[in-house]
Amino acid sequence: MTLEVTHVTDVTDGEWAVLRVSGELDLVTSPGLRQSVHDVVAAGRHSIVLDLSEVVFCDSSGVGVLIAARRLMRSCRGRLRLILPARGAVDGSHVNRVLGALGVRRLFDVYPDVDAATDEESRPLSA
């Protein structure tokens, strides 16, 4: 299976860049997500939502890309939000389970959907 990254721009008056990610996030495909995040930042966007609700598999290299994206956004005083619904990608969010098992989910602001992630009044889900 491959990874598909769809860049959706101009969400909530153009403040948030939304990247919808689907498929497998692994050693082979994670460089594509890394490049997509870098492209968005290079284009001047510093508020990014990664919609990972349709990612069916994530290994340590995928987690590494998410942590690197967090570091990049912090370095440019930007914001990174993840969409990891409790019941996504057929049987539950695989990424949510992996981040929880590794003890790094608390590093991310997690939201249930794009509307919540792009709403300034919405609060992240608890870790």
Side-chain angles (χ1 to χ4, degrees), residues 17-64:
V18 178
L19 295 175
R20 291 195 173 103
V21 185
S22 61
E24 297 180 357
L25 186 53
D26 58 20
L27 182 63
V28 174
T29 62
S30 59
L33 178 57
R34 181 186 310 268
Q35 187 60 53
S36 294
V37 170
H38 282 271
D39 291 347
V40 169
V41 172
R45 307 294 291 273
H46 295 116
S47 295
I48 298 177
V49 173
L50 295 180
D51 182 350
L52 306 173
S53 58
E54 295 301 320
V55 172
V56 295
F57 176 80
C58 180
D59 69 7
S60 60
S61 59
V63 173

Side-chain angles (χ1 to χ4, degrees), residues 51-119:
D51 182 350
L52 306 173
S53 58
E54 295 301 320
V55 172
V56 295
F57 176 80
C58 180
D59 69 7
S60 60
S61 59
V63 173
V65 167
L66 297 178
I67 291 172
R70 178 182 181 269
R71 189 178 314 119
L72 173 65
M73 297 314 296
R74 290 172 63 96
S75 73
C76 67
R77 295 194 176 116
R79 298 180 290 173
L80 176 67
R81 295 180 175 178
L82 305 183
I83 297 174
L84 298 173
R87 304 290 301 169
V90 182
D91 167 349
S93 173
H94 185 264
V95 179
N96 204 11
R97 291 191 309 265
V98 169
L99 294 178
L102 294 174
V104 296
R105 187 179 177 279
R106 61 182 169 69
L107 298 176
F108 298 97
D109 289 334
V110 175
Y111 292 82
D113 54 44
V114 172
D115 290 337
T118 57
D119 179 2

